[in-house]
Amino acid sequence: MLWHEGDHEAADRVFERALAAHDEYPPALAGRARVALARGAWGRAVELLERAHRHSPEPTTAWLLGDAGTAAGDHAGAAQAYASVVDAGRRSDRRTLARYYATKGLERDEALRLAAAERGVRADIYTEDAHAWALYRAGKLTEARAASDRALALGTRDARLLYHAGAIRIALGDLKEGERLVRAALALNPGFDMTGAAEAERLLARRKPPLGSAR
């Protein structure tokens, strides 16, 4: 909860307490790695995520490890981690694999197929969000907007949900509301995802008028 609220310092302290109670607990290691990534401590993030992945080779942890390796300049290690996302996702976690593909702009047809199949099993807000983002990447904007609306239906404060909703609305021409949502995502948790946060910043930068232009 603290992480999603953008309070990285407090989140890190609680993850540290979790590790004091349960040494090498993979979710707490991954949590501390998220904080390290938000701080730009790439080497520290890699070290924590390698430990987490060794104990629990889940696709989300492998994805984070790939991002940390890329940021640290370990492209071979990152490629291996990303391959683990695909392998583990195909075996046991279609939603994470769909979200990974859509986030990275890869395998768009496969991302859409995986997200749609998962939605037939569990149509919760995070599955709706994964489906919305896969639809967005595939250029199916009207359907993406409907899925995004369902993902926001509970008012969940998650920067990723807000960013996706905002980007979809901007693509559909609803610029004011779209920009509001993207700004809200970055204000809530600017480190929510390395790829998504960077995209959000670029999206807002493209929307800014040139210096000296008429308002």
Side-chain angles (χ1 to χ4, degrees):
M1 289 175 64
L2 289 165
W3 165 258
H4 282 296
E5 290 291 330
D7 192 345
H8 298 165
E9 296 293 333
D12 197 43
R13 289 194 297 270
V14 179
F15 288 135
E16 187 176 20
R17 289 206 300 270
L19 288 167
H22 186 168
D23 188 38
E24 295 295 284
Y25 182 51
L29 290 169
R32 297 205 79 186
R34 288 183 186 274
V35 175
L37 285 171
R39 292 171 173 168
W42 316 130
R44 173 63 170 161
V46 168
E47 184 263 329
L48 288 164
L49 288 162
E50 284 178 342
R51 287 159 58 191
H53 194 255
R54 185 163 57 248
H55 291 292
S56 181
E58 296 182 353
T60 299
T61 306
W63 180 353
L64 289 168
L65 179 56
D67 285 352
T70 298
D74 181 8
H75 299 292
Q80 185 175 1
Y82 289 142
S84 294
V85 180
V86 175
D87 181 59
R90 285 176 175 167
R91 285 187 284 105
S92 62
D93 194 342
R94 295 179 300 189
R95 182 172 71 186
T96 295
L97 181 54
R99 190 162 55 81
Y100 167 76
Y101 280 149
T103 298
K104 300 297 186 183
L106 302 170
E107 304 292 344
R108 295 180 181 184
D109 291 342
E110 180 67 1
L112 193 52
R113 185 191 70 78
L114 289 165
E118 189 65 14
R119 188 169 178 269
V121 176
R122 50 173 179 172
D124 56 40
I125 61 169
Y126 287 104
T127 304
E128 294 288 3
D129 176 67
H131 193 210
W133 206 230
L135 287 162
Y136 169 81
R137 293 297 199 199
K140 299 178 183 293
L141 298 180
T142 301
E143 295 171 67
R145 170 65 189 265
S148 175
D149 286 347
R150 291 191 293 269
L152 295 181
L154 301 180
T156 304
R157 288 173 57 81
D158 186 316
R160 186 176 63 211
L161 303 184
L162 296 173
Y163 164 57
H164 291 168
I168 290 165
R169 282 157 177 75
I170 289 171
L172 283 166
D174 186 358
L175 304 183
K176 183 177 180 180
E177 178 63 7
E179 290 178 22
R180 184 191 71 79
L181 286 163
V182 174
R183 288 195 182 92
L186 290 170
L188 178 62
N189 187 357
F192 70 91
D193 170 73
M194 288 187 65
T195 303
E199 279 189 356
E201 294 280 6
R202 289 195 297 270
L203 188 59
L204 291 179
R206 287 200 300 269
R207 298 297 311 156
K208 289 180 181 177
L211 290 175
S213 64
R215 292 181 178 271

